[in-house]
């Protein structure tokens, strides 16, 4: 499959001194996701944990929600004109009786590494109905525990250490233990990889957990958390207004600007004892 990183020669300038050196870059390649042989999505991603990415994407879209609804995922041979395999095309086989994606909610399924919702027809189309309600999740998490999560996430970002160019998503227990970390050039891909890991490990819904992301908290990330049954979403940067609106509507605890010992709690403060 594709490489997670690549090397490129660069010219480095420090205090007026010029030198040539190799630099390590985070890889970015397209991944086409098919369901039953029918193209569904093309996303720009960092290769690695592609099966998790495809499974998590289908959970986020409301196509599947249980491990037994997923039959198989495979890379497609013959992805090139010479019948080779690029490892950039996946075909997902759903279990018998599981309906395919609803054409009425399909978009021009091209997503970039910065936006997972470009091309959605309307706001209503992305308010997918989750199988689980996070509103009544009884999770209580200590504020001091939450403040340890950014450092734990950062320490586990091995590819970021080499490139400085990847987002991360981490799933934590209520006592701050990291269950799963995934890195990607796209924050939405990193979250889908975490959710896909959980689906394939038969862990959905993710009740009583905290999802931590390295960037901002957008509407799409709130939606993905809700679709996976995650009651708390924390981000090191700002949320959008629409993210806060959806979090309030769905009963999700949304934390932004989580840095050091400070944070902004936008919704669901009762889970932090506020």
């Amino acid at each position: 499959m594709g490489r997670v990183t690549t090397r490129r020669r660069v010219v480095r300038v420090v205090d007026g001194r010029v030198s040539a050196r190799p630099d390590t870059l985070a890889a970015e390649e397209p991944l086409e996701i098919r369901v039953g042989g029918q193209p569904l999505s093309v996303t720009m991603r960092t290769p690695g944990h592609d099966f998790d990415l495809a499974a998590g994407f289908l959970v986020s879209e409301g196509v599947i929600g249980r491990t037994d609804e997923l039959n198989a995922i495979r890379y497609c041979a013959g992805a090139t004109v010479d019948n080779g395999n690029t490892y950039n095309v996946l075909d997902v086989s759903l279990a018998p009786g599981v309906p395919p994606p609803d054409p009425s909610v399909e978009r021009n399924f091209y997503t970039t590494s910065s936006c997972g919702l470009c091309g959605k027809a309307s706001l209503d189309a992305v308010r997918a109905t989750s199988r689980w309600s996070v509103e009544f999740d009884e999770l209580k998490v200590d504020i001091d525990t939450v403040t340890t999560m950014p450092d734990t996430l950062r320490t586990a970002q091995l590819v970021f250490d080499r490139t400085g160019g990847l987002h991360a998503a981490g799933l934590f227990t209520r006592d701050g233990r990291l269950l799963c970390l995934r890195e990607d050039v796209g924050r939405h891909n990193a979250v889908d990889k975490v959710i896909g890991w959980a689906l394939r490990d038969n862990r959905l819904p993710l009740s009583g957990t905290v999802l931590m992301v390295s960037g901002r908290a957008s509407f799409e990330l709130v939606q993905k958390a809700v679709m996976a049954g995650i009651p708390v979403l924390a981000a090191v940067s700002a949320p959008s207004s629409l993210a806060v609106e959806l979090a309030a509507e769905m009963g999700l605890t949304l934390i932004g600007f989580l840095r050091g010992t400070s944070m902004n709690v936008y919704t669901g403060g009762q889970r932090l004892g506020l």
Side-chain angles (χ1 to χ4, degrees):
M1 63 177 294
R3 295 175 296 174
V4 176
T5 63
T6 186
R7 300 279 280 177
R8 186 174 181 88
R9 189 175 179 83
V10 300
V11 176
R12 182 163 174 79
V13 181
V14 180
D15 296 329
R17 295 186 179 185
V18 180
S19 61
R21 51 170 276 186
D23 190 37
T24 302
L25 305 175
E28 183 175 24
E29 297 180 9
L31 178 69
E32 179 181 336
I33 300 173
R34 300 174 181 174
V35 176
Q38 297 300 310
L40 178 67
S41 170
V42 177
T43 187
M44 300 301 296
R45 100 300 190 192
T46 299
H49 303 291
D50 288 341
F51 288 10
D52 288 347
L53 173 56
F57 177 80
L58 293 177
V59 172
S60 296
E61 292 296 319
V63 178
I64 57 177
R66 300 197 313 268
T67 307
D68 60 8
E69 293 178 335
L70 181 64
N71 187 33
I73 306 175
R74 64 179 181 87
Y75 287 107
C76 295
T80 63
V81 292
D82 59 357
N83 209 39
N85 196 331
T86 63
Y87 295 97
N88 285 336
V89 181
L90 284 179
D91 191 26
V92 179
S93 172
L94 303 179
V98 178
D102 186 346
S104 67
V105 297
E106 287 185 6
R107 56 183 181 258
N108 283 327
F109 271 114
Y110 171 78
T111 60
T112 70
S113 58
S114 61
C115 176
L117 293 174
C118 302
K120 277 288 193 181
S122 67
L123 181 61
D124 289 341
V126 295
R127 293 185 185 271
T129 302
S130 175
R131 302 186 185 200
W132 308 286
S133 171
V134 300
E135 181 179 3
F136 303 108
D137 192 301
E138 297 180 353
L139 172 67
K140 301 291 184 182
V141 58
D142 189 77
I143 289 178
D144 290 339
T145 299
V146 174
T147 59
T148 67
M149 293 179 182
D151 286 343
T152 302
L153 188 75
R154 177 64 186 84
T155 301
Q157 288 184 254
L158 300 180
V159 182
F160 182 89
D161 285 338
R162 298 161 57 193
T163 65
L166 286 180
H167 289 286
L171 187 70
F172 290 84
T173 63
R174 70 181 66 216
D175 59 359
R177 180 168 58 92
L178 181 62
L179 295 172
C180 176
L181 176 131
R182 294 290 184 262
E183 295 179 277
D184 201 278
V185 288
R187 63 177 62 87
H188 64 283
N189 286 338
V191 171
D192 276 342
K193 287 178 178 181
V194 168
I195 294 173
W197 164 82
L199 175 101
R200 297 176 69 214
D201 202 43
N202 199 27
R203 291 174 178 260
L204 292 187
L206 289 168
S207 307
T209 61
V210 178
L211 179 65
M212 174 83 208
V213 295
S214 61
R216 60 187 176 85
S218 61
F219 176 91
E220 57 170 336
L221 297 193
V222 172
Q223 183 202 12
K224 290 177 185 295
V226 169
M227 293 297 289
I230 299 171
V232 179
L233 173 62
V236 299
S237 192
S240 68
S241 61
L242 206 54
V244 175
E245 179 182 326
L246 181 62
E249 177 183 325
M250 303 305 293
L252 177 134
T253 298
L254 181 59
I255 302 168
F257 293 108
L258 177 54
R259 302 168 185 175
T261 59
S262 65
M263 69 186 76
N264 287 355
V265 181
Y266 293 88
T267 61
Q270 75 280 358
R271 291 195 175 97
L272 303 176
L274 303 180

